[in-house]
Amino acid sequence: LGSLLCNRLLKGQVHATYAPLGALGITLFAVDLYFASQHFTPGGNELFGVVEYLRLPAGWRVLADLVAVAVSGGLFIVPLYAMVQQRSEPSRRARNIAANNVVNALFMVVGAALSAVLLEYGASVPELFLLLGLLNAVVVVYVSRLLPGALVKAFIAWLLDAVYRVDVQGLKHLQEAGDRVLIVSNHLSFLDAALIAAYVPDELTFAIDTHIAQHRLIRFFLGLAKTFPMDPTNPLAIRGVVAAIKRGEKVVIFPEGRITVTGTLMKVYEGPGLIADKAGAKLLPVRLEGAQYTPFSRLKGKVRLRWFPKLSVRFLEPRTFDVPDEIQGRARRAYVGNHLYDLMTEMMFESSDTRRTLFQSLLDIRRTHGSGHLILEDVERQPISYRRLIMGSFLLGRRLEKGSAPGDNLGILLPNVIGTTVAFFGLHAFGRVPAMLNFSTGVANLVAACRTAGVRSVFTSRRFVETARLDGMVQGLEEAGVRVGYLEDVRKRISLLDRLLGLAAGAFPQILYRLTCRRRDPEQPAVVLFTSGTEGTPKGVVLSHRNIQANRYQVAARIDFGPSDIVFNALPLFHSFGLSTATLLPILFGMRVFLYPSPLHYRIVPEMVYGTNATILFGTDTFLAGYARFAHPYDFYSVRFVCSGAEKLKEETRRLYSERFGVRIFEGYGATETAPVLAMNSPMQNRAATVGRLMPGIAWRLDAVPGIETGGRLLVSGPNVMAGYLRADAPGVLQPPADGWYNTGDVVSIDAEGFVTIQGRMKRFAKIGGEMVSLAAVEATLAKLWPEQAHAVVSLPDPKKGEQLVLVTENAQATREELIGFAHQVGMADIAIPKLIVRVEQLPVLGTGKVDLVAIKGLAEQA
């Protein structure tokens, strides 16, 4: 029992944390055995049978003490014996084990002889146990001196395990880090130092912010370890820490310098990176999780605090900083700071559990924030909680899954309303795969999408069909053999049994989910989306649960948000940006989401943002520019930041939001095939005219493109890259990316600091007179010339130069003379100047917010 208990407490690791506790247990229970025996004193040679013995309370106490002595002995002996084997050099291991056995045998022989002598001179067996217990107290003192603070650490570790069920993983990496090691960790609460110190067998030195070190709880725990109070703003403070590491001390530091008030990673100081660089030390990342939900955090009023949440401490593989010698001074400091930030964000991502289904994550986050936590709202202004979302998912899902088999793709043709999200999770609750259909793409493309994905049933709403005038689309689907169901009809068929199922879902959702969904494999498809079709026929993109989970954790590692945030999402849910990033991500992290049905209501959306007190807004450049034209300067008063994607963000849009509304826009970049975010600017790392840095966990390469000197074609690989395509020429057949690499089709450049600049899509380069011209670069120049209007450039065949450029613009006054003059002024090559100008009232736009290049090319050809 002692051996098993030891293995459980040590989480499979080998160290002596609990050995002093075992020695103390032997002493206490051996002494108690003596006193327990005083109540059990048979006269003479009287013997007791088992039944008579167990009838006496003292008998049970004696048995309990004997068991406790044995268990304590296992707790003491097993880790020490394992350490003898593990830490011996291979050539000396057998000799050390033999020597240990000889010493043990010697003590046993001597102990037996002394016991025999004492018994001969009248000592009783209980008195022998008393003597052995007292002698063992000397062992306790001796072991405690060999392992300073181990007894107290063992007690704290036991207390933390008992109260918080602490899950410790990867402690073996501490030994792999070697003698010079700097332990870096995220900072969630006042318990963090104790959590690390309790489970690390070695003596630690904590470098703690001088302000935090004054807290009485911190002072209590740090009294058990060496401390080094330091001011993160004082560059000279790191010298003492560097010296300590060089002396072989294991130092712990929290790079954030303060306890988080967002629940996520905050500002990361470069000091720990400089310390590791100067000391030649390895960095050992440690991810703490769960402590932010205790009363010892600084998130009161932002999350649901609990006294006894489950905590985890995860030690990751040690890392080294290989800083080139030629980088010195401020450049070296910046280089180290960026790499430390990358290490911390990679730690946050790598230690996240991406191997869960989306519905399981919904149940998990419900348990974290409580069933009553309001999570979803739409224009009806009747918000629902996690309880109602989960109950509704089981109720609706039971009806939607009729006539289908697990793993089947079922179509959803609905706007941004609560019912769409309930239907999405309802299909997941029963192991079906939602196929999100784009109702703005036309009936022909919609029918082709259903055929490509093998969708035989589509669910929509009569109210939506009538409001959006989609009768022809529904008729086209039915003529193509697709069954169309209406949510209004489904609600009418909800029976008493269904309602009982809903009640059971509210009380026992985990059990019910296991019964309704047998296939809970995170590698299985989670959703089918369709490419925007900006340049051709849409393809079906199959994203697995793990793809979406990985991407939301990648974003969470870079962006600070929390349950107190309110997300406003007007982007359509048939688009990956609107579904994965702007809806699923906040719901599965406890943020409230407001769904608005159309991003084209430029006058209404700003007013709704104001009315909902939204703190985060998602949009494309086209939509954001439209909102800015009609918004009151105070409409975005509560918005902390705006996330822009799907198309290039114009500098005019960025400047307008900054100057008029005081809001920063963080531009990102991605693709449906990558679930969708690949790169993103963040509050910590933001550079205008770029799309930020690639997300953690993404491998990339640039393939050279003939005719393009700067950058290359971007290919990416990672856990967020799609499971595969569904193509029209092979309906229902999943075609995974070759070797796990996805070719984005975009030409990008990546600078030394990792910031990505989009040069344009491969399909959006024209070859004119043997030279490659980026249409996106031409459009960017035009945006500077006429910033108030929207423009698009397409290429058409040219008999002399191969291709010619055509400008389609909303500027009714645009002239080629003005364009040529500006082009020469900014140094644009003559071959990049559009040969023809087509003026339109408004550029055609897809439902996703992207410019419809197919329609624009048609306008150019007609001209």
Coordinates of all heavy atoms in Angstrom, one line a residue, residues 501-566:
L501 N -35.8 14.3 -21.9 CA -34.4 14.2 -22.3 C -33.7 15.6 -22.0 O -32.5 15.6 -21.6 CB -34.3 13.9 -23.8 CG -32.9 13.8 -24.4 CD1 -32.1 12.6 -23.9 CD2 -32.9 13.8 -25.9
G502 N -34.4 16.7 -22.2 CA -33.8 18.0 -21.9 C -33.5 18.1 -20.5 O -32.5 18.7 -20.1
L503 N -34.4 17.7 -19.6 CA -34.2 17.8 -18.2 C -33.0 16.9 -17.8 O -32.1 17.3 -17.0 CB -35.4 17.3 -17.4 CG -36.7 18.2 -17.5 CD1 -37.9 17.6 -16.8 CD2 -36.4 19.6 -16.9
A504 N -32.9 15.7 -18.4 CA -31.7 14.9 -18.1 C -30.4 15.5 -18.6 O -29.4 15.4 -17.9 CB -31.9 13.5 -18.7
A505 N -30.5 16.2 -19.7 CA -29.3 16.9 -20.2 C -28.9 18.0 -19.3 O -27.7 18.2 -19.1 CB -29.7 17.5 -21.6
G506 N -29.8 18.7 -18.6 CA -29.4 19.7 -17.7 C -28.8 19.2 -16.4 O -27.9 19.8 -15.9
A507 N -29.2 18.0 -16.0 CA -28.7 17.4 -14.8 C -27.5 16.5 -15.0 O -26.5 16.5 -14.2 CB -29.8 16.6 -14.1
F508 N -27.5 15.7 -16.1 CA -26.4 14.8 -16.3 C -25.9 14.8 -17.8 O -26.0 13.8 -18.5 CB -26.9 13.3 -16.0 CG -27.6 13.2 -14.7 CD1 -28.9 13.1 -14.6 CD2 -26.8 13.2 -13.5 CE1 -29.6 13.0 -13.4 CE2 -27.5 13.1 -12.3 CZ -28.8 13.0 -12.2
P509 N -25.4 16.0 -18.2 CA -25.0 16.1 -19.6 C -23.8 15.2 -20.0 O -23.8 14.7 -21.1 CB -24.6 17.6 -19.7 CG -24.2 18.0 -18.3 CD -25.1 17.2 -17.4
Q510 N -22.9 14.9 -19.1 CA -21.8 14.1 -19.5 C -22.2 12.6 -19.7 O -21.8 12.0 -20.7 CB -20.7 14.1 -18.3 CG -20.0 15.4 -18.1 CD -18.9 15.6 -19.1 OE1 -18.7 14.8 -20.0 NE2 -18.2 16.7 -18.8
I511 N -23.1 12.1 -18.9 CA -23.6 10.8 -19.1 C -24.4 10.7 -20.3 O -24.2 9.7 -21.1 CB -24.4 10.3 -17.8 CG1 -23.5 10.3 -16.6 CG2 -25.1 9.0 -18.1 CD1 -24.3 10.0 -15.3
L512 N -25.2 11.6 -20.6 CA -26.1 11.6 -21.7 C -25.3 11.7 -23.0 O -25.6 11.0 -24.0 CB -27.1 12.8 -21.7 CG -28.3 12.7 -22.7 CD1 -29.1 11.4 -22.4 CD2 -29.2 13.9 -22.5
Y513 N -24.2 12.5 -23.0 CA -23.4 12.6 -24.2 C -22.7 11.3 -24.5 O -22.5 11.0 -25.7 CB -22.3 13.7 -23.9 CG -21.4 14.0 -25.1 CD1 -21.8 14.1 -26.4 CD2 -20.0 14.0 -24.9 CE1 -21.0 14.3 -27.5 CE2 -19.1 14.3 -25.9 CZ -19.6 14.4 -27.2 OH -18.8 14.6 -28.3
R514 N -22.3 10.6 -23.5 CA -21.6 9.3 -23.8 C -22.6 8.3 -24.4 O -22.3 7.4 -25.2 CB -21.1 8.7 -22.5 CG -19.9 9.5 -21.9 CD -19.3 8.7 -20.7 NE -18.3 9.5 -20.1 CZ -18.4 10.2 -19.0 NH1 -19.6 10.2 -18.4 NH2 -17.4 10.9 -18.5
L515 N -23.9 8.5 -24.1 CA -24.9 7.6 -24.6 C -25.3 8.0 -26.0 O -25.6 7.2 -26.9 CB -26.2 7.6 -23.7 CG -26.0 7.0 -22.3 CD1 -27.2 7.2 -21.5 CD2 -25.6 5.5 -22.4
T516 N -25.4 9.3 -26.3 CA -25.9 9.8 -27.6 C -24.8 9.8 -28.7 O -25.1 9.8 -29.9 CB -26.5 11.2 -27.5 OG1 -25.5 12.1 -27.0 CG2 -27.7 11.2 -26.5
C517 N -23.5 9.9 -28.2 CA -22.4 10.0 -29.2 C -21.4 9.0 -28.9 O -20.6 9.2 -27.9 CB -21.8 11.4 -29.2 SG -20.5 11.6 -30.4
R518 N -21.4 7.9 -29.6 CA -20.4 6.8 -29.3 C -19.0 7.2 -29.9 O -18.0 6.8 -29.3 CB -20.9 5.5 -29.9 CG -22.2 5.0 -29.4 CD -22.2 4.6 -28.0 NE -23.5 4.0 -27.5 CZ -23.7 3.6 -26.3 NH1 -22.7 3.6 -25.4 NH2 -24.8 3.1 -25.9
R519 N -19.0 7.9 -31.0 CA -17.7 8.3 -31.6 C -17.3 9.7 -31.1 O -17.8 10.7 -31.6 CB -17.9 8.3 -33.1 CG -18.3 6.9 -33.7 CD -18.5 7.1 -35.2 NE -17.4 7.5 -35.9 CZ -17.4 7.9 -37.2 NH1 -18.6 7.8 -37.9 NH2 -16.3 8.3 -37.8
R520 N -16.4 9.7 -30.2 CA -15.9 10.9 -29.6 C -14.4 11.1 -29.9 O -13.7 11.5 -29.0 CB -16.2 11.0 -28.1 CG -17.7 10.9 -27.8 CD -17.9 11.1 -26.3 NE -17.3 10.1 -25.5 CZ -17.8 8.9 -25.2 NH1 -19.0 8.6 -25.8 NH2 -17.2 8.0 -24.5
D521 N -14.1 10.9 -31.2 CA -12.7 11.0 -31.6 C -12.4 12.4 -32.1 O -13.0 12.9 -33.0 CB -12.5 10.0 -32.7 CG -11.0 9.9 -33.2 OD1 -10.2 10.7 -32.6 OD2 -10.7 9.1 -34.1
P522 N -11.5 13.1 -31.5 CA -11.2 14.5 -31.9 C -10.6 14.6 -33.3 O -10.6 15.6 -33.9 CB -10.1 14.9 -30.9 CG -9.6 13.7 -30.3 CD -10.6 12.7 -30.3
E523 N -10.1 13.4 -33.9 CA -9.6 13.5 -35.2 C -10.7 13.3 -36.3 O -10.5 13.5 -37.5 CB -8.6 12.3 -35.4 CG -7.4 12.4 -34.5 CD -6.5 13.6 -34.8 OE1 -6.7 14.3 -35.8 OE2 -5.7 13.9 -33.9
Q524 N -11.9 13.1 -35.8 CA -13.1 12.9 -36.7 C -13.5 14.3 -37.2 O -13.3 15.3 -36.5 CB -14.2 12.2 -36.1 CG -14.0 10.7 -35.8 CD -13.8 9.9 -37.1 OE1 -14.6 10.1 -38.0 NE2 -12.8 9.1 -37.1
P525 N -14.2 14.4 -38.4 CA -14.7 15.7 -38.9 C -15.6 16.4 -37.9 O -16.5 15.7 -37.2 CB -15.4 15.3 -40.1 CG -14.8 14.0 -40.6 CD -14.5 13.3 -39.3
A526 N -15.5 17.7 -37.7 CA -16.3 18.5 -36.8 C -17.2 19.4 -37.6 O -18.3 19.7 -37.2 CB -15.5 19.3 -35.9
V527 N -16.8 19.8 -38.8 CA -17.6 20.7 -39.6 C -17.1 20.7 -41.1 O -15.9 20.4 -41.3 CB -17.5 22.2 -39.1 CG1 -16.2 22.8 -39.3 CG2 -18.6 23.1 -39.7
V528 N -18.0 20.9 -42.0 CA -17.7 21.1 -43.4 C -18.0 22.5 -43.8 O -19.1 23.0 -43.6 CB -18.4 20.1 -44.3 CG1 -18.0 20.3 -45.8 CG2 -18.2 18.7 -43.9
L529 N -17.0 23.2 -44.2 CA -17.1 24.6 -44.7 C -16.8 24.6 -46.1 O -16.2 23.7 -46.7 CB -16.2 25.6 -43.9 CG -16.5 25.7 -42.4 CD1 -15.4 26.4 -41.7 CD2 -17.9 26.4 -42.1
F530 N -17.1 25.7 -46.8 CA -16.8 25.8 -48.2 C -16.0 27.1 -48.5 O -16.3 28.1 -47.9 CB -18.1 25.8 -49.0 CG -18.9 24.5 -48.8 CD1 -19.8 24.4 -47.8 CD2 -18.7 23.5 -49.7 CE1 -20.5 23.2 -47.6 CE2 -19.3 22.3 -49.5 CZ -20.3 22.1 -48.5
T531 N -15.0 27.0 -49.4 CA -14.2 28.1 -49.7 C -15.1 29.2 -50.3 O -16.1 28.9 -50.9 CB -13.1 27.7 -50.7 OG1 -13.7 27.1 -51.8 CG2 -12.1 26.7 -50.1
S532 N -14.6 30.4 -50.2 CA -15.4 31.6 -50.5 C -15.7 31.7 -52.0 O -16.7 32.3 -52.4 CB -14.7 32.9 -50.1 OG -13.4 33.0 -50.7
G533 N -14.9 31.0 -52.8 CA -15.2 31.0 -54.3 C -14.9 32.4 -54.9 O -15.5 32.8 -55.9
T534 N -13.9 33.1 -54.3 CA -13.6 34.4 -54.9 C -12.9 34.3 -56.3 O -13.0 35.2 -57.1 CB -12.6 35.2 -54.0 OG1 -11.5 34.3 -53.7 CG2 -13.2 35.6 -52.7
E535 N -12.4 33.1 -56.6 CA -11.7 32.9 -57.8 C -12.1 31.6 -58.5 O -11.4 31.1 -59.4 CB -10.1 33.0 -57.6 CG -9.7 34.3 -57.1 CD -8.5 34.1 -56.1 OE1 -8.1 33.0 -55.9 OE2 -8.1 35.2 -55.6
G536 N -13.2 31.0 -58.1 CA -13.5 29.8 -58.8 C -14.6 29.0 -58.0 O -15.3 29.6 -57.2
T537 N -14.8 27.8 -58.4 CA -15.9 27.0 -57.7 C -15.5 26.6 -56.3 O -14.4 26.2 -56.1 CB -16.1 25.7 -58.5 OG1 -16.4 26.0 -59.9 CG2 -17.2 24.8 -57.9
P538 N -16.4 26.8 -55.3 CA -16.0 26.5 -53.9 C -15.7 25.0 -53.7 O -16.3 24.1 -54.4 CB -17.3 26.9 -53.2 CG -18.0 27.9 -54.1 CD -17.7 27.4 -55.5
K539 N -14.9 24.7 -52.8 CA -14.5 23.3 -52.4 C -15.0 23.1 -51.0 O -15.1 24.1 -50.2 CB -13.0 23.1 -52.5 CG -12.4 23.3 -53.9 CD -11.0 22.9 -53.9 CE -10.1 23.9 -53.2 NZ -10.0 25.2 -53.9
G540 N -15.3 21.9 -50.6 CA -15.6 21.5 -49.3 C -14.4 21.4 -48.5 O -13.4 20.7 -48.9
V541 N -14.3 22.0 -47.3 CA -13.1 21.9 -46.4 C -13.6 21.2 -45.2 O -14.5 21.7 -44.5 CB -12.6 23.3 -46.1 CG1 -11.4 23.2 -45.1 CG2 -12.1 24.0 -47.3
V542 N -13.0 20.1 -44.9 CA -13.3 19.3 -43.7 C -12.4 19.7 -42.6 O -11.1 19.4 -42.7 CB -13.3 17.8 -44.0 CG1 -13.7 17.0 -42.7 CG2 -14.3 17.5 -45.1
L543 N -12.9 20.2 -41.5 CA -12.1 20.5 -40.3 C -12.4 19.5 -39.2 O -13.6 19.3 -38.9 CB -12.3 21.9 -39.8 CG -11.9 23.1 -40.8 CD1 -12.4 24.4 -40.2 CD2 -10.5 23.1 -41.1
S544 N -11.4 18.9 -38.6 CA -11.6 18.0 -37.5 C -11.8 18.8 -36.2 O -11.6 20.0 -36.1 CB -10.5 17.1 -37.3 OG -9.3 17.7 -36.9
H545 N -12.3 18.1 -35.1 CA -12.4 18.7 -33.8 C -11.0 19.3 -33.4 O -10.9 20.4 -32.9 CB -12.9 17.7 -32.8 CG -14.3 17.2 -33.0 ND1 -15.4 17.8 -32.5 CD2 -14.7 16.2 -33.8 CE1 -16.5 17.2 -32.9 NE2 -16.1 16.2 -33.6
R546 N -10.0 18.5 -33.6 CA -8.6 18.9 -33.2 C -8.2 20.1 -34.0 O -7.5 21.0 -33.4 CB -7.7 17.8 -33.3 CG -6.3 18.1 -32.8 CD -5.4 16.9 -32.6 NE -4.2 17.2 -32.0 CZ -3.0 17.2 -32.6 NH1 -2.9 16.8 -33.9 NH2 -1.9 17.6 -32.0
N547 N -8.5 20.2 -35.2 CA -8.1 21.4 -36.0 C -8.7 22.7 -35.4 O -7.9 23.7 -35.1 CB -8.7 21.3 -37.4 CG -8.1 20.2 -38.3 OD1 -8.7 19.7 -39.2 ND2 -6.8 19.9 -38.0
I548 N -10.0 22.7 -35.0 CA -10.6 23.9 -34.4 C -10.1 24.1 -33.0 O -9.8 25.2 -32.6 CB -12.1 23.7 -34.5 CG1 -12.6 23.6 -35.9 CG2 -12.8 24.9 -33.8 CD1 -14.1 23.3 -36.0
Q549 N -9.9 23.0 -32.3 CA -9.4 23.2 -30.9 C -8.0 23.8 -30.9 O -7.7 24.7 -30.1 CB -9.4 21.8 -30.2 CG -10.7 21.2 -30.0 CD -11.5 21.6 -28.8 OE1 -11.3 22.8 -28.4 NE2 -12.3 20.8 -28.2
A550 N -7.2 23.2 -31.8 CA -5.8 23.7 -31.9 C -5.8 25.2 -32.2 O -5.0 26.0 -31.6 CB -5.0 22.9 -32.9
N551 N -6.6 25.6 -33.2 CA -6.6 27.0 -33.6 C -7.1 28.0 -32.5 O -6.5 29.1 -32.3 CB -7.4 27.2 -34.9 CG -7.0 28.5 -35.6 OD1 -7.9 29.3 -35.9 ND2 -5.7 28.7 -35.9
R552 N -8.1 27.5 -31.8 CA -8.6 28.4 -30.7 C -7.5 28.6 -29.6 O -7.4 29.6 -29.0 CB -9.9 28.0 -30.2 CG -9.9 26.8 -29.3 CD -11.4 26.5 -28.8 NE -11.5 25.3 -27.9 CZ -11.5 25.4 -26.6 NH1 -11.4 26.6 -26.0 NH2 -11.6 24.3 -25.8
Y553 N -6.8 27.5 -29.3 CA -5.7 27.6 -28.3 C -4.5 28.4 -28.8 O -3.9 29.1 -28.0 CB -5.3 26.2 -27.8 CG -6.3 25.6 -26.8 CD1 -6.9 24.4 -27.1 CD2 -6.5 26.2 -25.6 CE1 -7.8 23.8 -26.2 CE2 -7.3 25.6 -24.7 CZ -8.0 24.4 -25.0 OH -8.9 23.9 -24.1
Q554 N -4.3 28.3 -30.1 CA -3.2 29.1 -30.7 C -3.5 30.6 -30.5 O -2.7 31.4 -30.2 CB -3.1 28.8 -32.2 CG -2.4 27.4 -32.4 CD -2.5 27.0 -33.9 OE1 -3.4 27.3 -34.6 NE2 -1.5 26.2 -34.3
V555 N -4.8 31.0 -30.8 CA -5.2 32.4 -30.7 C -5.1 32.8 -29.2 O -4.7 33.9 -28.9 CB -6.6 32.6 -31.3 CG1 -7.0 34.0 -31.0 CG2 -6.6 32.3 -32.8
A556 N -5.6 31.9 -28.4 CA -5.6 32.2 -26.9 C -4.3 32.4 -26.4 O -4.1 33.2 -25.4 CB -6.4 31.1 -26.2
A557 N -3.2 31.8 -27.0 CA -1.9 32.0 -26.5 C -1.3 33.4 -26.8 O -0.4 33.8 -26.2 CB -1.0 30.9 -27.1
R558 N -1.9 34.1 -27.8 CA -1.4 35.4 -28.2 C -2.3 36.6 -27.8 O -1.8 37.7 -27.7 CB -1.3 35.4 -29.7 CG -0.1 34.5 -30.2 CD 1.2 35.1 -30.1 NE 2.3 34.3 -30.5 CZ 2.7 34.1 -31.7 NH1 2.1 34.8 -32.7 NH2 3.8 33.3 -32.0
I559 N -3.6 36.3 -27.6 CA -4.5 37.4 -27.4 C -5.1 37.3 -26.0 O -5.5 36.3 -25.5 CB -5.7 37.4 -28.4 CG1 -5.2 37.5 -29.8 CG2 -6.6 38.6 -28.1 CD1 -4.5 38.8 -30.2
D560 N -5.1 38.5 -25.3 CA -5.6 38.5 -23.9 C -7.1 38.7 -23.9 O -7.6 39.8 -24.4 CB -4.9 39.5 -23.0 CG -5.2 40.9 -23.5 OD1 -5.1 41.2 -24.7 OD2 -5.5 41.8 -22.6
F561 N -7.9 37.8 -23.5 CA -9.3 37.9 -23.4 C -9.8 37.1 -22.2 O -9.0 36.2 -21.7 CB -10.1 37.5 -24.7 CG -9.7 36.2 -25.2 CD1 -10.0 35.0 -24.6 CD2 -9.0 36.1 -26.4 CE1 -9.7 33.8 -25.1 CE2 -8.6 34.9 -26.9 CZ -9.0 33.7 -26.3
G562 N -11.0 37.3 -21.8 CA -11.5 36.5 -20.6 C -13.0 36.5 -20.6 O -13.7 37.1 -21.4
P563 N -13.6 35.8 -19.6 CA -15.1 35.7 -19.5 C -15.8 37.1 -19.3 O -17.0 37.1 -19.5 CB -15.2 34.9 -18.3 CG -14.0 34.1 -18.1 CD -12.9 35.0 -18.6
S564 N -15.1 38.1 -19.0 CA -15.7 39.4 -18.8 C -15.9 40.1 -20.2 O -16.6 41.1 -20.3 CB -14.9 40.3 -17.9 OG -13.6 40.5 -18.3
D565 N -15.3 39.6 -21.2 CA -15.4 40.2 -22.6 C -16.7 39.8 -23.2 O -17.3 38.7 -22.9 CB -14.3 39.7 -23.5 CG -13.0 40.5 -23.2 OD1 -13.0 41.7 -23.2 OD2 -11.9 39.8 -23.0
I566 N -17.2 40.7 -24.1 CA -18.4 40.5 -24.9 C -18.0 40.6 -26.3 O -17.5 41.6 -26.8 CB -19.5 41.5 -24.5 CG1 -19.9 41.3 -23.1 CG2 -20.7 41.3 -25.4 CD1 -20.9 42.4 -22.6

